[in-house]
Amino acid sequence: IPLGVEAFLPSASVLEYWDFFDFIFLIQGIFVATIAPEMLCGDRRENVLALYFSRAITRLDYLLAKLVAAAILTLTISLVPAAIYWLGRQFLDDKPVSAIRDNADDLGRIVVCGVLIATYLGAIGLMVSSFTGRKSIAVAIIIVGFVISTSIAYALAAAIDGEFTRYFLVLSPADMIGVLSYRLFDRPITDIDSDFGPVFSLWQTVAGIVGTIAVALGVMYWRYVPND
């Protein structure tokens, strides 16, 4: 739709890349909530984990494979549409080849943002799914969890106003993704600043996201260790 509008109105700027990643969080969250339980709940419910681990794979191999699979599927939402949008905008330029060369750095930012978001949300979804063998329960908890965690982050930021307020941002996946996309494209973040104070830099945001992924993997690994 944005490409169609920009084709007829070249001066229009309907949707910027950083807005895209922030805008589709709800779609990505629902998508992850549907695929993550499929990755883990079935294996637990059908009691096939012993069969997996009787082979020459470790529990970490199993969990990393599931995370990669979930991330690849989520890339169809977080990366592919944004990359198509980037390519379409270059073809709308009067000199497409020059536009592709001049805006290659934007494509690099899109790839980094898309991969981080896909892995981040996939890890959270799998962590929740590791606690139950019921897919419907996992789906509900993941969706509600995204909403509740954001509410908790804002509530804590409002109740505890001080130097460490901005660290509550880690509890809100939606805002972490928003900060990541805006920082990657070097755009101002006014709305989140007003709620959490001066928010993270780009590298602090990336560290928070990678740290969340590591914690999620740690929790999943702990969930599967008792099966020894």
Side-chain angles (χ1 to χ4, degrees), residues 129-204:
S129 301
S130 69
F131 283 87
T132 178
R134 300 288 296 276
K135 296 178 185 178
S136 57
I137 294 176
V139 170
I141 292 176
I142 293 170
I143 294 176
V144 173
F146 282 139
V147 176
I148 291 178
S149 62
T150 298
S151 301
I152 291 174
Y154 277 89
L156 289 174
I160 308 174
D161 187 13
E163 181 181 353
F164 300 101
T165 302
R166 64 175 181 167
Y167 293 103
F168 295 129
L169 186 68
V170 177
L171 300 176
S172 175
D175 289 310
M176 285 293 287
I177 289 174
V179 172
L180 173 67
S181 59
Y182 276 71
R183 289 298 192 209
L184 268 174
F185 289 94
D186 198 23
R187 308 304 300 175
I189 311 173
T190 55
D191 294 340
I192 301 177
D193 275 346
S194 63
D195 293 304
F196 291 94
V199 295
F200 299 143
S201 66
L202 173 60
W203 295 113
Q204 288 173 326

Side-chain angles (χ1 to χ4, degrees), residues 3-206:
L3 282 175
V5 173
E6 292 180 18
F8 288 98
L9 300 171
S11 60
S13 181
V14 181
L15 183 68
E16 297 295 345
Y17 304 122
W18 51 90
D19 292 322
F20 168 82
F21 290 111
D22 197 18
F23 176 72
I24 65 168
F25 170 76
L26 179 61
I27 299 173
Q28 292 179 106
I30 294 173
F31 183 77
V32 167
T34 58
I35 66 167
E38 292 288 343
M39 299 286 177
L40 293 181
C41 294
D43 292 344
R44 183 179 291 277
R45 189 182 65 253
E46 301 297 333
N47 296 317
V48 297
L49 290 175
L51 184 60
Y52 277 122
F53 299 140
S54 66
R55 304 297 179 182
I57 66 168
T58 65
R59 283 162 175 74
L60 185 59
D61 294 333
Y62 173 80
L63 294 173
L64 286 175
K66 295 294 185 179
L67 178 58
V68 170
I72 290 174
L73 286 174
T74 309
L75 284 175
T76 62
I77 303 294
S78 67
L79 175 59
V80 173
I84 293 173
Y85 184 45
W86 175 87
L87 186 61
R89 294 184 81 175
Q90 311 320 307
F91 285 144
L92 288 177
D93 195 89
D94 293 335
K95 297 180 179 179
V97 176
S98 298
I100 290 174
R101 183 176 59 251
D102 295 339
N103 297 302
D105 54 341
D106 283 341
L107 180 59
R109 294 187 183 99
I110 288 171
V111 171
V112 171
C113 198
V115 170
L116 279 174
I117 290 172
T119 310
Y120 174 58
L121 294 181
I124 294 174
L126 289 173
M127 179 183 65
V128 174
S129 301
S130 69
F131 283 87
T132 178
R134 300 288 296 276
K135 296 178 185 178
S136 57
I137 294 176
V139 170
I141 292 176
I142 293 170
I143 294 176
V144 173
F146 282 139
V147 176
I148 291 178
S149 62
T150 298
S151 301
I152 291 174
Y154 277 89
L156 289 174
I160 308 174
D161 187 13
E163 181 181 353
F164 300 101
T165 302
R166 64 175 181 167
Y167 293 103
F168 295 129
L169 186 68
V170 177
L171 300 176
S172 175
D175 289 310
M176 285 293 287
I177 289 174
V179 172
L180 173 67
S181 59
Y182 276 71
R183 289 298 192 209
L184 268 174
F185 289 94
D186 198 23
R187 308 304 300 175
I189 311 173
T190 55
D191 294 340
I192 301 177
D193 275 346
S194 63
D195 293 304
F196 291 94
V199 295
F200 299 143
S201 66
L202 173 60
W203 295 113
Q204 288 173 326
T205 307
V206 172

